[in-house]
Amino acid sequence: MNRNTIIIFETSNKTNLLEPAFDIDLHTMGTLPEEVQEEILKHIDKSYSECRLSENDALWKAKCLKEIIEPLGGINMRFRNKRSRYTSLKRAYPSVTWL
């Protein structure tokens, strides 16, 4: 069973280029080591601009988080569209090779 989940979701916001904006969430089970938490905070800064990530930026952040967390246990990667429908990240982005 996967202990941790990374979710990329489409927001109602727009990027600076007026494209659909995305955000990323991380759900963990249990406590992560402090050094891992610090590394995660380098990649996820929940500021106003974080809700306005481009699709590529959100995928890049998901990849970074996966590399940090995967050694600690299983990881589930999901995508949620504006209608709150969930699917696996691999199904949502079949051409992304690191999934």
Side-chain angles (χ1 to χ4, degrees), residues 23 42 96:
D23 196 2
K42 290 179 186 175
V96 177

Side-chain angles (χ1 to χ4, degrees), residues 1-5 27 29 69-77:
M1 182 172 175
N2 296 325
R3 294 181 31 187
N4 307 300
T5 304
H27 300 272
M29 297 294 287
I69 297 170
E70 200 166 39
L72 302 174
I75 192 157
N76 186 18
M77 302 187 75

Side-chain angles (χ1 to χ4, degrees), residues 5-11 20-25 55 58-59 62 76-93 99:
T5 304
I6 295 172
I7 302 170
I8 292 178
F9 58 95
E10 191 173 352
T11 69
F22 295 81
D23 196 2
I24 188 166
D25 251 345
E55 196 169 22
L59 286 168
N76 186 18
M77 302 187 75
R78 315 262 304 151
F79 175 78
R80 188 186 83 199
N81 65 14
K82 278 200 243 185
R83 295 182 180 137
S84 296
R85 292 192 178 126
Y86 287 86
T87 186
S88 75
L89 203 57
K90 186 158 186 73
R91 180 174 282 178
Y93 298 98
L99 295 171

